[in-house]
Amino acid sequence: MENKNKLAMFGNMNGNAISQDLLYEQAKSLLDTMLDFKELLLSYDCAIKEIKTKFDVLNKEFEVRYQRNPISSIHTRLKSQTSIMEKLSRLGLEMTRDNIEQNLHDIAGIRVICSYVDDIYSIADALIRQADITLISRKDYIKNPKPNGYRSLHLIVSVPIFFSNEVKTVLAEIQIRTIAMDFWASLEHQIKYKKNIKNSGEIAEQLRKCAEVIAYTDRMMKDIRTKIDNEQDEKTEEEIIFEKLKKFDINLG
């Protein structure tokens, strides 16, 4: 009887040991996964910083050379873990690093708002010409708007990120649009996610018409700016010198 009790106790102790070992392995695996995911997001966050810096430099260059800023504002966004999981789920994929890197190209997001339509292409082309930027895909929803009226230039690019012990190539999505296009897209996004909207078809058509009006306004503003630039009187030598001196007044801080 005593031996049976000892065997039972040994079995329970052994079972507890097995359970603790299993728990340890599960905890270690979970911790490794979390750290790996955090490092992955770090690389995307660094890609955002790299690309934003490049746009800031281009904007400053235009300010010094041409006395105007083509970029009105820059907004950045790092996709949340929940959004990543939801998108992978919609694609029928498991939450793995390989699936994230190979199938999701919009974890790092940069939205650049320009004053004029031609600035969009000037800034995009200047970025793509840089030696460390590789263009993966380009979708021009300005020349070819979506059926709902959405307009924007979308770029997927890769950029190298230099860490202490390795260089990683990271993908990022860039959306470049005018102030008017961004205004429309922001309102359309808010309306689209409201539930139980009556007359949704009528509203969609009104939004499409608004997009056409905004696109027309963008074209008119660009034409006005071009006419003003072309119709300026020929500058005197004193005015030319004065314009050059004004360049030194630009704040480079």
Side-chain angles (χ1 to χ4, degrees):
M1 186 71 176
E2 185 178 349
N3 289 335
K4 287 184 179 180
N5 289 335
K6 286 182 178 180
L7 285 172
M9 288 177 61
F10 178 78
N12 289 336
M13 290 175 61
N14 191 43
N16 288 336
I18 293 173
S19 297
Q20 288 176 359
D21 288 343
L22 181 60
L23 182 62
Y24 169 77
E25 289 299 325
Q26 289 176 342
K28 184 176 180 297
S29 176
L30 178 62
L31 182 61
D32 290 343
T33 301
M34 290 173 64
L35 290 174
D36 188 51
F37 185 75
K38 188 171 183 179
E39 287 185 2
L40 179 64
L41 288 186
L42 169 66
S43 65
Y44 285 106
D45 186 55
C46 291
I48 288 173
K49 290 181 172 63
E50 287 279 349
I51 295 172
K52 183 179 183 300
T53 298
K54 290 177 178 295
F55 280 121
D56 286 334
V57 170
L58 289 171
N59 201 38
K60 182 63 69 174
E61 178 196 356
F62 269 69
E63 183 180 3
V64 171
R65 290 191 176 187
Y66 310 114
Q67 287 76 59
R68 75 179 191 87
N69 297 104
I71 297 175
S72 174
S73 60
I74 302 174
H75 307 277
T76 63
R77 182 266 302 142
L78 184 65
K79 210 173 190 67
S80 69
Q81 182 175 345
T82 302
S83 296
I84 291 172
M85 292 174 65
E86 288 176 347
K87 190 159 187 178
L88 285 175
S89 178
R90 289 197 300 271
L91 295 172
L93 300 172
E94 294 182 5
M95 180 77 168
T96 67
R97 183 171 187 143
D98 286 344
N99 282 340
I100 291 172
E101 291 182 314
Q102 294 174 15
N103 297 281
L104 303 187
H105 299 162
D106 61 345
I107 294 176
I110 301 98
R111 189 168 79 253
V112 182
I113 312 303
C114 294
S115 300
Y116 300 97
V117 175
D118 55 339
D119 289 335
I120 293 174
Y121 297 104
S122 297
I123 289 296
D125 292 342
L127 177 75
I128 293 168
R129 282 196 298 268
Q130 297 188 17
D132 58 345
I133 292 288
T134 301
L135 178 65
I136 306 300
S137 71
R138 176 182 181 127
K139 294 181 180 179
D140 193 339
Y141 295 116
I142 299 171
K143 294 179 180 177
N144 302 289
K146 290 186 177 182
N148 67 346
Y150 174 85
R151 287 168 169 81
S152 185
L153 179 65
H154 287 201
L155 308 174
I156 302 294
V157 303
S158 67
V159 60
I161 306 299
F162 294 84
F163 291 111
S164 60
N165 60 345
E166 64 175 337
V167 179
K168 284 187 62 63
T169 300
V170 182
L171 296 181
E173 181 188 56
I174 303 169
Q175 298 178 0
I176 313 178
R177 58 182 70 148
T178 64
I179 298 169
M181 292 175 193
D182 190 57
F183 165 75
W184 183 92
S186 297
L187 293 183
E188 192 270 346
H189 180 78
Q190 293 177 26
I191 293 170
K192 185 170 65 175
Y193 286 96
K194 290 184 179 294
K195 297 180 180 179
N196 302 320
I197 299 177
K198 296 180 180 179
N199 303 319
S200 58
E202 180 183 345
I203 291 172
E205 178 60 20
Q206 288 177 328
L207 282 169
R208 190 193 63 76
K209 288 180 179 178
C210 286
E212 293 291 339
V213 172
I214 286 174
Y216 174 77
T217 303
D218 269 335
R219 291 193 296 270
M220 289 293 294
M221 294 301 293
K222 175 184 173 295
D223 290 344
I224 291 169
R225 191 205 74 202
T226 301
K227 286 180 181 178
I228 292 173
D229 290 344
N230 292 340
E231 293 179 5
Q232 285 182 330
D233 296 333
E234 187 176 344
K235 291 184 175 66
T236 64
E237 184 176 351
E238 290 81 3
E239 288 174 329
I240 293 173
I241 293 174
F242 181 71
E243 288 293 328
K244 289 182 178 180
L245 286 172
K246 283 175 64 178
K247 291 184 179 181
F248 291 97
D249 295 333
I250 295 173
N251 181 17
L252 296 177

